[in-house]
Amino acid sequence: MNLKELSQNLGLSQTTVSRALNGYPEVSAATRARVEEAAKAFNYRPSTRAKGLATGKALAIGHVIPMSTKHEMVNPIFGDFIAGAGETYARHGYEMILSIVADEDEHQIYRGLKSRRAVDGVIVHGPSMNDPRIPLLQELGLPFAVHGRATGCETPYAWLDVNNRSAFERATRFLFDLGHRRIALINGLEVMDFAHRRRAGYEDALRAHNVAVDPALMRSGEMTEVFGYQSTRDMLQETNAPTAILASSLISALGARRAVEEQGLTIGRDVSIITHDDALSYLQNGGDVPIFTATRSSVREAGRQLAHILLDIIANPGGTPKTTLLEAELMVGGSTGPAPRKD
């Protein structure tokens, strides 16, 4: 059913029906309720373009991803975040525009989105240290919210992040409580803000236990299964091998487990592993009892919440940027145990 047919069925003009569905105040509450009830009964949905013309908004949110940004696109975290954000957009009548662009074109894409009024706002993914996108978007006046934070960007901006430093400091302390002293870190790319904060939390716990930071026990790279495997394999071949490992993603932790088992060792007895778990819908860390001990925070819920933050900025411009810091929960699974005794 189209607008004309719905209007004829109700005995109202197309203008009145359109205004009722788009929230114009001059339409009476009784008429609005009648129109909305009929639209629901006939499964009528006004086109986003028509609503946009009526409201002066694009009713779309942009997600711009550079082609080289592997830490976003190869990781299932991105899919769950988009799913959560998409749920919020749909409930509020917004569409999503996903742009995969060459790195050198990224800034120009943001300028184009603004000049064409193609979107009402954008989500910034994978912030790096001193991320240049934040001052650019502030200069353009394009509403935005950041999934994460960017150390070095001092001007206030809206963001939602997990307390990565606290999470990895707590996870490292947990391993110390189990008697481990040789604790390794398999981290993400440390130009990324989240990885920088996780390393800081890990180092905080080492210093608190009077253990020197040992570069031989630290790896940084794309969070793939192969990276987790190779990093763990190499460290386990050292004379003074680690007895515990912190991994920045469940995917890297799977690679670490493969390397441990390849050496004929047992997870949780010979080598303990803690990972960060984003509670992914299609890569779950076990059932009621986690496979890996993990710092857990739902990235899908993060997508929902950050989408709400951005839509609020769009609806209420000029307010103080909202920031949200989520705390990760430490979930004890079968991958950790007391440090093995030395013979």
Side-chain angles (χ1 to χ4, degrees):
M1 174 173 284
N2 58 34
L3 179 63
K4 180 179 180 181
E5 291 168 336
L6 179 63
S7 302
Q8 290 174 341
N9 187 278
L10 287 164
L12 298 171
S13 70
Q14 292 183 47
T15 300
T16 298
V17 172
S18 176
R19 288 178 176 271
L21 292 172
N22 287 298
Y24 281 77
E26 61 266 29
V27 179
S28 70
T31 299
R32 188 187 318 283
R34 181 182 166 214
V35 171
E36 289 176 347
E37 184 178 347
K40 184 177 180 180
F42 291 108
N43 197 30
Y44 172 76
R45 297 287 187 275
S47 73
T48 301
R49 179 173 176 80
K51 290 181 68 178
L53 291 172
T55 61
K57 293 182 177 180
L59 295 177
I61 302 298
H63 295 255
V64 179
I65 309 298
M67 288 181 181
S68 68
T69 312
K70 294 179 180 178
H71 55 269
E72 284 293 344
M73 298 308 294
V74 305
N75 202 311
I77 291 171
F78 183 75
D80 259 40
F81 179 90
I82 286 293
E87 292 172 15
T88 301
Y89 300 152
R91 283 199 302 272
H92 291 81
Y94 279 76
E95 294 182 345
M96 183 190 309
I97 295 178
L98 180 62
S99 301
I100 311 299
V101 303
D103 290 46
E104 62 272 17
D105 295 336
E106 184 178 7
H107 283 205
Q108 200 58 40
I109 291 297
Y110 284 121
R111 294 183 186 279
L113 290 173
K114 171 64 176 179
S115 64
R116 299 194 315 272
R117 299 181 181 179
V119 298
D120 298 310
V122 295
I123 295 289
V124 176
H125 294 273
S128 60
M129 310 283 285
N130 300 296
D131 198 302
R133 293 172 293 179
I134 292 172
L136 170 67
L137 291 168
Q138 290 172 330
E139 174 194 330
L140 293 174
L142 182 59
F144 71 96
V146 182
H147 183 205
R149 285 175 282 175
T151 299
C153 293
E154 302 299 335
T155 306
Y157 59 92
W159 54 262
L160 178 144
D161 197 11
V162 175
N163 194 339
N164 289 293
R165 185 168 188 160
S166 174
F168 269 51
E169 190 270 340
R170 183 182 179 191
T172 308
R173 281 195 289 109
F174 179 77
L175 291 169
F176 274 115
D177 290 343
L178 290 171
H180 296 277
R181 303 286 290 180
R182 295 285 291 173
I183 302 171
L185 173 67
I186 300 177
N187 204 4
L189 290 166
E190 290 182 357
V191 295
M192 308 306 297
D193 192 86
F194 78 89
H196 169 77
R197 293 178 188 274
R198 289 178 185 177
R199 177 168 58 83
Y202 162 77
E203 292 181 350
D204 287 345
L206 294 181
R207 285 188 287 266
H209 288 82
N210 297 314
V211 172
V213 175
D214 185 353
L217 293 177
M218 301 169 69
R219 300 289 189 277
S220 171
E222 296 285 359
M223 297 185 296
T224 63
E225 193 273 348
V226 172
F227 172 65
Y229 166 76
Q230 292 175 342
S231 298
T232 303
R233 178 200 60 193
D234 293 347
M235 288 188 286
L236 290 179
Q237 290 173 352
E238 298 294 329
T239 302
N240 194 9
T243 63
I245 296 169
L246 275 176
S248 262
S249 82
L250 185 58
I251 298 173
S252 297
L254 291 171
R257 181 176 69 177
R258 178 162 68 97
V260 169
E261 293 175 347
E262 189 178 84
Q263 295 289 321
L265 303 174
T266 301
I267 296 293
R269 186 187 68 190
D270 301 307
V271 179
S272 290
I273 298 177
I274 297 181
T275 185
H276 183 72
D277 175 19
D278 290 282
L280 301 175
S281 58
Y282 47 94
L283 183 61
Q284 296 186 8
N285 182 18
D288 295 335
V289 178
I291 297 169
F292 290 98
T293 296
T295 57
R296 178 176 293 177
S297 179
S298 170
V299 71
R300 193 180 190 111
E301 179 58 26
R304 295 188 187 104
Q305 290 194 34
L306 192 59
H308 276 295
I309 289 173
L310 180 55
L311 293 181
D312 185 60
I313 292 171
I314 293 167
N316 303 286
T320 301
K322 182 177 180 180
T323 62
T324 301
L325 186 61
L326 305 175
E327 294 294 337
E329 184 179 6
L330 182 63
M331 307 290 293
V332 179
S335 67
T336 50
R341 293 182 179 180
K342 293 184 178 181
D343 295 333

